[in-house]
Amino acid sequence: MPAEAYVVYDRRWLARIDGGTWPTRQDLTKADDQPGAWAVTYERGVPVPVGGQVAAGAYACEVAKTMAADTTCRLPRRVQSLVRQGVQQTFVDPAQLARDGMTGLPEVDQWLRVVNPNRLPRDTVVWSPDLDRGRRRTS
């Protein structure tokens, strides 16, 4: 069935708009694209760009290293200041990084700054009791 045959309303209801009806039987022994079987594929949101996939992969690897107690993990520890042989190094508190929406990994934090320069915690929305709350078509 072509995608133009149905729409999603209110982000939850799938409705036919081509005048047809939904199949009444499903042969679960057949693949979705074979006669007698059917399926609906729903993808929510937008695909993550390649840069975001790379950043997520880098972060996931470092989290896995932490879970395995791997000493090569680059995620910041709770140490905030260190002085050794006259050289002082100051680290950012991981809790503060989390509050700021950052991770402590330069490549991940750079991606986050590019896609969310104002560090908004979520997408902005507009709501008003005067707005019509009728059925909404989503794509």
Side-chain angles (χ1 to χ4, degrees), residues 76-95:
R77 306 280 186 248
R78 289 231 172 246
V79 176
Q80 289 187 353
S81 183
L82 175 69
V83 178
R84 184 169 286 162
Q85 296 178 350
V87 177
Q88 181 174 346
Q89 181 72 39
T90 303
F91 302 92
V92 178
D93 179 16

Side-chain angles (χ1 to χ4, degrees), residues 89-109:
Q89 181 72 39
T90 303
F91 302 92
V92 178
D93 179 16
Q96 184 60 47
L97 282 170
R99 284 190 294 274
D100 292 341
M102 298 289 121
T103 66
L105 298 175
E107 66 272 27
V108 175
D109 292 345

